[in-house]
Amino acid sequence: MSVLRFVLGDQLTRGLSALRDLDPKRDVVLMVEVADEATYVPHHPQKIVFILSAMRHFAETLRKEGIAVDYVKLDDPKNTGSFSGELQRAVKRHKPQGVAMTEPGEWRVLQMMQDWRETLPVPLTIHDDDRFIASLEEFAQWAQGRKQLRMEYFYRDMRKKTSFLMEGDDPIGGAWNFDSENRKALPRNHQPPKRKRFSADTVTQDVIALVKKRFKAHYGAVEPFSWAVTRPDALKALDDFIAQGMASFGDYQDAMQAGAPFLYHSLISPYLNVGLLTAHEVCARVDRLAREEKIPLNAAEGFIRQIIGWREYVRGLYWLKMPDYAQGNALGAERDLPEFFWTGETDMNCLRQCIGDTLQNAYAHHIQRLMVIGNFALLAGLDPKAVQAWFLAVYADAFEWVELPNVAGMALFSDGGVMASKPYAASGAYIDRMSDYCQGCVYSPKEKTGPKACPFNYLYWDFLDRNADRLSRNPRMGMPYKNLRGMDEARRKAIARDAKRFLASLA
Ligand code: FAD
Ligand code: DLZ
Ligand code: SF4
């Protein structure tokens, strides 16, 4: 039976379930570039270039193996602009006996697939996406009957399942987690390593020209474009991380420095998420290096936890809780996104740097996303839907299965505590401790109220005050609420006044 194998832009893995039993004599692989996928949120131009160029290269590697690939380009005059339209056209062209796909990374696309099951003239088979360590059934079983879905316990199960950093039933080093060793700020005037980036080949240059023409209105710089778009280059990016980033990853995972967007981070999330690298191979390599004592255990453990812990956990949670998860607004936050999210133009230097890095590189590291941008969105009461759409648009690694739980569950607490036991709210002191941003800011993290005070300071207390009904009974919020209650009336009034003035200025 001839099968049309429809591969999506984040499924660029040779071992993908939908390609596994492919018969090159009869089957055709379908790949389509469609405007709808670039515009359902206004994706960063570098993200569009990354995905389309990686798709074009992946199609070429399949062709070199003798596999027939029907590849529809964005500027094909007959392109209908949607997955549905292109699949229907391809079924008419090839008249296959069946269509095979791997389950998608977004609920929205799963809904489309369910429609296709009804409307296509041939059967559609949807295979599990087994590029992950835990299957969705395994996660659902783990979650069943638990009052709280805390990542740490799930992570331990994944350590046991994979044997990464395990000696028999016990964690190597005698502890599951070395996070307490992982919260250092960078020394003053620290020079981070120059990280390997990639130049655009002719395929990427063509895509850059196309994206410049088609998506002029999207925010973010299209050039310099320096992401890997092939598996060999993604492996080089991993080599670079191991050579230059890995040893200090644990120590400086939470640190931030102006003008140093990459520091010791791996920069591999886009490659993992579109399938150029697999989670298992990356962790296996780090596990081996740790066993050979070539890298520190705290760094290896911290890194592996991000991938087999957080990454797997957020995926399980997304599919367990969708579609309701996207609607959560537990703190009733309704403020529009300020314009500076799209331009980076604000006096608050931390936000200027982190949003600026994002617009420049389609990348910001975890603490920039969580403790600067996400923290601001939480404290300012920004509408979760608008914040979710922004995070989905601006990062090269953003797909809803990973973006939504991080934004709704970790940054905004809009899921009401499904993921985190308390909101990750912090004042300017945290940003001052973990970065050099405050040194270049018009505001002072030391001042609590008044025109020079860091807005994070009064917004933090105002946030607690505004949400006292919802949060003050949370056992982990006892201390901040005790401090709030202990404040004198004048200070509380000054906080409310400054927060009101500041929030009004965002409109
Ligand atoms: P490193 O710091 O080197 O970490 C190694 C790897 O661990 C990453 O490549 C990633 O695959 C994984 N990882 C680390 N933290 C997480 C996490 N919390 N959830 C899932 N995987 C994780 N990650 C995405 O891949 N896509 C997103 O759209 C995304 N949106 C986020 C939004 C917010 C508000 C927050 C707080 C985090 C978000 N993250 C997202 C998680 C994390 O910030 C990125 O995975 C990380 O910054 C990617 O850079 P890196 O590859 O250099 O990561
Ligand atoms: C993000 C994206 C973009 C910008 N363009 C395409 C595309 O043209 N063709 C494609 O197959 N995939 C694209 N993608 C990735 C899809 O949006 C992604 O596969 C779905 O969101 C499912 O995770
Ligand atoms: Fe950000 Fe406040 Fe520091 Fe300015 S003073 S950089 S606004 S934390």
Side-chain angles (χ1 to χ4, degrees), residues 168-330:
D169 291 340
D170 299 318
I172 292 184
W176 291 101
N177 186 317
F178 295 89
D179 227 12
S180 56
E181 295 172 32
N182 287 354
R183 298 205 174 109
K184 298 194 179 86
L186 289 160
R188 249 178 185 290
N189 302 321
H190 181 74
Q191 283 289 329
K194 191 168 166 6
R195 301 300 300 276
K196 177 154 184 63
R197 305 296 283 156
F198 298 85
S199 51
D201 65 4
T202 53
V203 174
T204 302
Q205 279 166 13
D206 282 355
V207 179
I208 290 174
L210 182 65
V211 167
K212 276 185 181 166
K213 199 162 99 198
R214 287 288 294 268
F215 305 109
K216 280 195 191 83
H218 292 207
Y219 289 93
V222 66
E223 287 174 299
F225 179 87
S226 52
W227 292 99
V229 289
T230 62
R231 177 166 161 80
D233 278 354
L235 284 165
K236 284 185 196 147
L238 177 62
D239 290 343
D240 174 67
F241 167 62
I242 286 171
Q244 305 208 71
M246 185 79 245
S248 298
F249 176 82
D251 286 353
Y252 299 129
Q253 207 178 336
D254 289 5
M256 298 174 281
Q257 183 175 300
F262 305 137
L263 294 171
Y264 297 95
H265 290 272
S266 66
L267 318 179
I268 62 166
S269 50
Y271 314 137
L272 285 169
N273 295 354
V274 303
L276 299 180
L277 298 176
T278 68
H280 197 278
E281 71 181 336
V282 168
C283 294
R285 201 151 153 206
V286 171
D287 172 72
R288 198 169 57 243
L289 291 167
R291 286 176 196 275
E292 290 165 0
E293 297 186 2
K294 291 191 176 137
I295 54 174
L297 184 58
N298 72 315
E301 188 283 313
F303 183 76
I304 284 180
R305 173 156 31 93
Q306 305 312 314
I307 297 186
I308 69 168
W310 281 112
R311 186 170 185 273
E312 294 286 327
Y313 167 86
V314 296
R315 178 191 183 240
L317 196 67
Y318 175 80
W319 287 107
L320 189 71
K321 298 288 177 189
M322 280 299 278
D324 297 346
Y325 203 69
Q327 309 305 324
N329 191 356

Side-chain angles (χ1 to χ4, degrees), residues 71-92:
Y71 192 100
V72 181
K73 288 193 173 169
L74 194 70
D75 51 1
D76 182 328
K78 295 212 174 92
N79 191 324
T80 55
S82 72
F83 280 155
S84 301
E86 286 316 291
L87 180 58
Q88 272 168 20
R89 283 204 316 131
V91 167
K92 282 196 186 134

Side-chain angles (χ1 to χ4, degrees), residues 341-355:
F341 268 65
W342 300 108
T343 62
E345 285 165 23
T346 162
D347 284 343
M348 299 172 78
N349 192 35
C350 52
L351 283 167
R352 189 164 68 233
Q353 297 288 335
C354 296
I355 294 174

Side-chain angles (χ1 to χ4, degrees), residues 347-351 428 431-432 437-438 441 443-445 454-456:
D347 284 343
M348 299 172 78
N349 192 35
C350 52
L351 283 167
I431 297 172
D432 191 27
Y437 296 151
C438 301
C441 189
Y443 299 111
S444 162
C454 167
F456 279 97

Side-chain angles (χ1 to χ4, degrees), residues 129-145:
D129 189 349
D130 54 12
R131 295 175 297 173
F132 291 88
I133 287 162
S135 70
L136 297 179
E137 290 72 34
E138 207 174 338
F139 187 86
Q141 265 172 25
W142 173 81
Q144 203 170 28

Side-chain angles (χ1 to χ4, degrees), residues 8-10 32-34 37-38 51-52 55 83 105-106 108-109:
L8 304 180
D10 54 355
V32 302
E33 298 177 358
V34 290
E37 291 304 304
I51 292 171
L52 300 195
M55 284 174 68
F83 280 155
E106 301 196 354
R108 174 185 69 82
V109 181

